[in-house]
């Protein structure tokens, strides 16, 4: 007999598996549509899973994966039912292609920032912006999506044990330096993480190597993308400046508003199109997401 989650979602295929959860493609036996079900493992923190569900329920935005249902499976394991997102994770795209043209990366980045602004407006911090958590579309009609809110944190923590000062939770290679040193997550930290993602996507390599000295490395990090991969379009000064502002180590010098950062990113793309008509040869398929407020 086919396995069914929450008495309604028939398991069709395993989509992914990690230490704390497994993602399944399922059929909703009521609507007969395809959904994605995230089933937490027995060792996962159920309180954090409940926080993830709370955050997803609070955020309704086309650039953030949508929660459809939530419940407890056998053994009290949290089960999150989400829309089935089409496309591929940015990590897979970069592993296959090496890099993406800067304006395509900026188009995707603006969409991610739109989603982050909605998360921030709902008083949460994402905390884990990285290529593996960004779904980019194969089809023009599909949107870029943030797909994992597994370590989301309230902007005003109400559960100290989940957001305890001094705890380093996240993916170190993309974390802002203040988080690596045990600081409190903020909007600017999410923007920093996206800056690292974009720098890697455009340059083809991660700008800061992993290791125990990452916090020190990031405090001294100054983006200098002097050489782009062969075949990549040149990076305009305006794009370079924006990335630099996203990656400033001192908080007071870094961009700290996702919506404003998205607007700047879109204006860089549009400004380059207007001043460099020849850029259309490699940018005519880049879509600029509108700002859903």
């Amino acid at each position: 007999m086919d396995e069914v989650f929450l008495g309604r979602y028939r398991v069709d295929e395993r989509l992914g598996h990690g230490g704390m959860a497994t993602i399944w493609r399922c059929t909703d036996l009521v609507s007969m549509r395809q959904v994605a079900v995230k089933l937490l493992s027995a060792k996962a923190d159920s309180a954090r899973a409940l926080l993830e569900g709370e955050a997803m329920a609070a955020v309704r935005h086309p650039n953030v994966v949508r929660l459809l249902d939530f419940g407890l499976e056998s053994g009290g394991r949290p089960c999150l039912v989400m829309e089935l997102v089409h496309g591929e994770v940015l990590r897979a795209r970069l592993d296959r292609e090496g890099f993406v043209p800067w304006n395509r990366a900026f188009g995707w980045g603006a969409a991610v920032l739109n989603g982050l602004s909605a998360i921030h407006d709902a008083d949460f911090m994402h905390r884990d912006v990285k290529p593996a958590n960004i779904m980019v579309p194969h089809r023009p009609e599909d949107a870029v999506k943030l797909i994992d809110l597994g370590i989301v944190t309230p902007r005003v923590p109400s559960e100290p044990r989940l957001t305890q000062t001094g705890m380093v939770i996240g993916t170190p290679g993309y974390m802002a330096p203040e988080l690596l040193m045990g600081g409190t997550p903020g909007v600017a930290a999410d923007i920093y993480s996206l800056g690292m993602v974009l720098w890697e996507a455009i340059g083809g390599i991660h700008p800061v190597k992993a290791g125990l000295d990452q916090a020190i490395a990031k405090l001294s990090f100054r983006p200098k993308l002097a050489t782009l991969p062969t075949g990549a379009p040149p990076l305009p000064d305006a794009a370079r400046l924006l990335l630099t502002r996203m990656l400033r180590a001192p908080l007071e010098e870094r961009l700290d508003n996702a919506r404003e950062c998205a607007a700047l990113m879109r204006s860089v793309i549009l400004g380059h199109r207007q001043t460099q008509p020849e850029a259309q040869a490699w940018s005519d398929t880049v879509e600029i997401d509108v700002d859903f407020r």
Side-chain angles (χ1 to χ4, degrees):
M1 182 176 178
D2 292 331
E3 186 174 6
V4 177
F5 294 138
L6 304 180
R8 174 172 174 172
Y9 305 100
R10 186 192 67 215
V11 174
D12 296 330
E13 176 188 10
R14 192 174 80 171
L15 298 176
H17 178 70
M20 294 297 170
T22 302
I23 309 295
W24 302 89
R25 181 174 60 82
C26 298
T27 299
D28 181 348
L29 297 176
V30 174
S31 67
M32 298 308 296
R33 66 178 168 178
Q34 297 285 291
V35 297
V37 174
K38 180 177 182 178
L39 181 65
L40 278 293
S41 69
K43 63 181 179 181
D45 188 336
S46 58
R48 183 163 291 286
L50 291 171
L51 184 60
E52 179 181 5
E54 178 186 343
M56 292 180 70
V59 177
R60 293 286 178 174
H61 192 279
N63 297 123
V64 181
V65 65
R66 187 158 59 97
L67 183 71
L68 303 175
D69 198 357
F70 182 88
L72 299 178
E73 259 299 307
S74 58
R77 291 185 296 165
C79 187
L80 291 86
V81 182
M82 303 167 287
E83 64 174 316
L84 184 65
V85 179
H86 299 284
E88 68 176 336
V89 293
L90 179 57
R91 175 75 277 148
R93 177 74 65 93
L94 295 179
D95 288 346
R96 185 178 69 252
E97 298 183 1
F99 74 96
V100 294
W102 74 265
N103 64 332
R104 181 173 296 281
F106 267 38
W108 292 340
V112 171
L113 285 162
N114 289 341
L116 285 174
S117 69
I119 292 171
H120 298 158
D121 288 347
D123 288 328
F124 291 95
M125 300 294 105
H126 188 280
R127 291 190 72 181
D128 203 19
V129 180
K130 60 183 179 182
N133 286 343
I134 298 171
M135 184 75 79
V136 296
H138 289 310
R139 308 177 302 182
E141 63 267 28
D142 293 330
V144 176
K145 300 269 188 180
L146 277 166
I147 59 171
D148 193 337
L149 278 68
I151 60 170
V152 68
T153 301
R155 291 183 73 168
V156 181
S158 58
E159 188 63 61
R161 75 182 184 84
L162 296 179
T163 56
Q164 195 172 17
T165 300
M167 292 180 67
V168 178
I169 300 175
T171 306
Y174 301 94
M175 290 172 68
E178 65 271 16
L179 297 190
L180 286 168
M181 294 184 290
T184 302
V187 170
D190 280 348
I191 290 176
Y192 184 99
S193 295
L194 180 61
M196 277 289 181
V197 170
L198 295 176
W199 205 254
E200 178 181 5
I202 294 167
I205 58 172
H206 196 284
V208 177
K209 293 185 181 299
L212 296 176
D213 298 327
Q214 283 194 77
I216 296 173
K218 286 183 177 178
L219 284 172
S220 61
F221 174 61
R222 295 292 181 272
K224 295 178 181 178
L225 201 56
T227 304
L228 291 171
T230 302
L235 185 66
D237 289 341
R240 193 184 307 271
L241 176 61
L242 178 55
L243 279 174
T244 300
R245 294 180 64 192
M246 296 174 71
L247 290 168
R248 292 289 191 196
L251 279 170
E252 65 274 10
E253 297 179 13
R254 194 185 312 155
L255 288 169
D256 63 356
N257 184 297
R259 185 169 284 111
E260 290 179 5
C261 190
L264 289 171
M265 204 162 283
R266 292 191 295 270
S267 68
V268 169
I269 299 173
L270 290 173
H272 189 71
R273 284 179 172 177
Q274 292 167 359
T275 59
Q276 304 288 333
E278 70 278 7
Q280 290 301 316
W282 48 266
S283 68
D284 56 3
T285 60
V286 175
E287 299 294 333
I288 301 176
D289 292 72
V290 297
D291 188 4
F292 292 90
R293 295 180 184 273

